Amino acid sequence: MTDELVRVYVPATVPMLARLREEGLAGGEAHAVTPELREWYAEGDEEELEYVAFTRAAQEALLLLRADPGAPRRRVVVSVDLPARAVGRIGGELGSSVVGLSGPVPVKSVAAIHVDGADAVEDVAAAAEVVAEAQAGDPDAQFTVDGAEDHELEWYDVTELDLLLREVS
């Protein structure tokens, strides 16, 4: 019997990508299309729901950047396909996309890597400085975060990991 795969969006930083090949991505919280998200966005199709989960992972990447001032100022989201048994539900709040990962994510589970381009660095750096204030409701901080979110993350195949790391480090 095969375990169904679930697409999960893991927020990350460039230093976390550097450890991906040897150690995988650390387990913890990530984002996915959950029953709570489906219920909240009842009119949304699967692609729209995945975009919401992906966007939330990109927002969480800003918090990781705030916690790691030495990391290049680029949001990173790693799209992975994991067995359903490795993805646990957290909370259950209506609209939530947060899931828990039962362990490290191996590089073989990576479907794609998404990273901000060089043109986003200045806006992402500013957003990382004020993301906590934005989450607390500060409208000026939210405006700054929105500026980073105006940038689309670039798509990379996992086979391009070494090239990507050379480009962004």
Side-chain angles (χ1 to χ4, degrees):
M1 179 176 186
T2 60
D3 201 355
E4 177 186 352
L5 292 179
V6 176
R7 174 62 51 99
V8 178
Y9 304 98
V10 182
T13 62
V14 171
M16 292 168 73
L17 282 182
R19 296 187 297 270
L20 173 62
R21 193 176 313 292
E22 288 77 30
E23 304 169 22
L25 291 172
E29 290 186 0
H31 294 269
V33 176
T34 62
E36 295 82 8
L37 186 62
R38 283 184 202 286
E39 187 176 343
W40 183 259
Y41 290 94
E43 300 299 315
D45 65 19
E46 193 67 18
E47 190 173 312
E48 290 170 320
L49 295 172
E50 287 179 357
Y51 185 75
V52 170
F54 176 88
T55 300
R56 290 178 179 174
Q59 292 166 345
E60 199 167 309
L62 285 174
L63 291 169
L64 294 174
L65 288 173
R66 182 179 175 116
D68 185 358
R73 304 285 94 179
R74 297 180 190 229
R75 296 169 298 163
V76 177
V77 175
V78 183
S79 297
V80 299
D81 293 320
L82 296 173
R85 62 179 149 57
V87 181
R89 292 170 60 186
I90 294 181
E93 180 179 311
L94 189 61
S96 175
S97 62
V98 178
V99 294
L101 305 179
S102 63
V105 176
V107 71
K108 68 178 182 172
S109 296
V110 175
I113 301 166
H114 312 271
V115 181
D116 274 310
D119 62 325
V121 170
E122 189 175 309
D123 289 336
V124 169
E129 291 295 318
V130 298
V131 64
E133 291 84 349
Q135 288 183 328
D138 180 321
D140 292 331
Q142 186 59 54
F143 182 79
T144 301
V145 169
D146 290 345
E149 291 177 357
D150 286 343
H151 296 276
E152 292 290 326
L153 278 72
E154 298 174 355
W155 182 95
Y156 293 86
D157 186 85
V158 68
T159 60
E160 299 175 291
L161 179 58
D162 293 331
L163 173 67
L164 171 62
L165 289 171
R166 281 194 300 276
E167 285 180 7
V168 299
S169 295

